[in-house]
Amino acid sequence: LLISGDAGTGKTRFCEALLTDAAEMGWTTLRGSPSRVEGAAPWAPVVEAFDRVIHQRTDLIDSLSAPAKEGLARLFGRAAPSPSGTEVRGRQPILLAANELLSAVAAERCVVFWIDDLHLADEATVQLMHYVARAARYQHTLLVLAYQPQALRTTPAEMRASLVASQGATEIELGPLSPGAVAAIVRTVSGRLPSEATLAAVQRVVEGNPLFAEEIAAAIGPDGSLRLPRRLCEIVEVRLGELEPALRTVLQRVAVAGVDRKSTRLNSSHITN
């Protein structure tokens, strides 16, 4: 299951709700995500997802093949020489370990395996998830990958294309909320019924983004005035910081020029000037 959408469109909440429903049905839930602060450490989201299983179900570890056990030791950074006394090189033992462990868990009951923010993951993690995804179609496993499509690098984009082409994945794209949904968020978060003018102003600012709607709604003043919350500024600043300098310059000019909302076209003379 491929969950795509811009930042703040609700991918994480969607997946959390999915895992909550699965847990209530008695499924095993696994989750992991790369860290923007810690960097794209090899296999870090997979290690996070399997950590609880590793510590609570040593019997499942005992059921793995010898190469898979060695791969699991390497995945978790533990020294574990192979039975032959020579190290099995390459990523294959790690791929095998992840697949065998997931198969062992899924043999007992269904599994939901969620990796969030795939666009931030390292190449090794993406390759491992592609390997697991191809094998998961023969298991009681639902693999959920959430990402921002515009931020996908080459390897994750190739993975997505491969899974879709082989009919091994279903895509769900989360787009902007309807005006009615944004209004409902504003009323819920602000705890009151804003004026039509205030509500219209919020609609213009957030453009259907649920995260932005929540942040702005929480910052509505008693008189209905709007202010830009610091947290929202930080979110935007992080995203702008990831862009190439030339693109940031263009966006600065666009921000000053503004947008003609009737035609949704930019005034090109302002941009070039």
Side-chain angles (χ1 to χ4, degrees), residues 41 62 68 86 107 132 152 177-178 209 219 224:
D62 295 337
T86 59
V132 169
L152 284 181
L177 296 178
S178 66
N209 188 295

Side-chain angles (χ1 to χ4, degrees), residues 238-273:
V238 169
R239 295 187 63 192
L240 291 176
E242 297 171 347
L243 302 177
E244 296 292 333
L247 183 54
R248 286 201 301 271
T249 300
V250 171
L251 289 179
Q252 289 171 346
R253 295 178 179 178
V254 170
V256 173
V259 178
D260 181 349
R261 295 185 180 277
K262 293 182 179 180
S263 63
T264 66
R265 292 186 178 181
L266 299 175
N267 187 328
S268 58
S269 62
H270 287 164
I271 297 175
T272 54
N273 292 337

Side-chain angles (χ1 to χ4, degrees), residues 70-78 87-91 93-94:
E70 179 177 347
L72 196 64
R74 290 175 55 190
L75 185 63
F76 279 80
R78 301 169 183 169
E87 181 183 3
V88 179
R89 300 187 181 278
R91 295 179 176 177
I94 293 179

Side-chain angles (χ1 to χ4, degrees), residues 50-265:
F50 282 141
D51 186 68
R52 179 167 55 90
V53 176
I54 291 295
H55 288 89
Q56 295 181 357
R57 295 296 307 276
T58 56
D59 57 311
L60 292 180
I61 309 303
D62 295 337
S63 69
L64 302 182
S65 65
K69 288 180 181 178
E70 179 177 347
L72 196 64
R74 290 175 55 190
L75 185 63
F76 279 80
R78 301 169 183 169
S82 63
S84 62
T86 59
E87 181 183 3
V88 179
R89 300 187 181 278
R91 295 179 176 177
Q92 188 61 31
I94 293 179
L95 301 180
L96 184 64
N99 185 54
E100 285 195 17
L101 182 59
L102 188 60
S103 297
V105 176
E108 296 183 343
R109 53 181 177 169
C110 298
V111 176
V112 177
F113 187 0
W114 167 36
I115 297 294
D116 201 11
D117 290 332
L118 185 69
H119 56 281
L120 298 177
D122 62 288
E123 183 175 333
T125 293
V126 175
Q127 292 177 348
L128 188 150
M129 297 313 296
H130 184 262
Y131 180 90
V132 169
R134 290 192 298 109
R137 67 180 67 187
Y138 307 110
Q139 304 169 5
H140 295 155
T141 301
L142 175 62
L143 183 64
V144 182
L145 304 174
Y147 56 87
Q148 297 177 25
Q150 75 280 4
L152 284 181
R153 299 186 298 275
T154 301
T155 303
E158 290 176 345
M159 172 190 177
R160 174 206 162 274
S162 172
L163 294 177
V164 172
S166 64
Q167 298 183 339
T170 298
E171 289 186 283
I172 296 179
E173 181 179 358
L174 302 183
L177 296 178
S178 66
V182 171
I185 289 177
V186 172
R187 294 187 183 102
T188 300
V189 174
S190 65
R192 57 183 181 274
L193 184 63
S195 67
E196 290 299 323
T198 298
L199 193 55
V202 174
Q203 298 279 11
R204 288 194 300 270
V205 171
V206 305
E207 295 186 336
N209 188 295
L211 174 61
F212 291 1
E214 287 186 341
E215 294 294 328
I216 292 293
I220 296 177
D223 59 350
S225 61
L226 301 182
R227 65 180 178 84
L228 196 60
R230 180 58 194 167
R231 180 170 179 266
L232 195 55
C233 292
E234 292 173 348
I235 293 173
V236 175
E237 287 171 358
V238 169
R239 295 187 63 192
L240 291 176
E242 297 171 347
L243 302 177
E244 296 292 333
L247 183 54
R248 286 201 301 271
T249 300
V250 171
L251 289 179
Q252 289 171 346
R253 295 178 179 178
V254 170
V256 173
V259 178
D260 181 349
R261 295 185 180 277
K262 293 182 179 180
S263 63
T264 66
R265 292 186 178 181

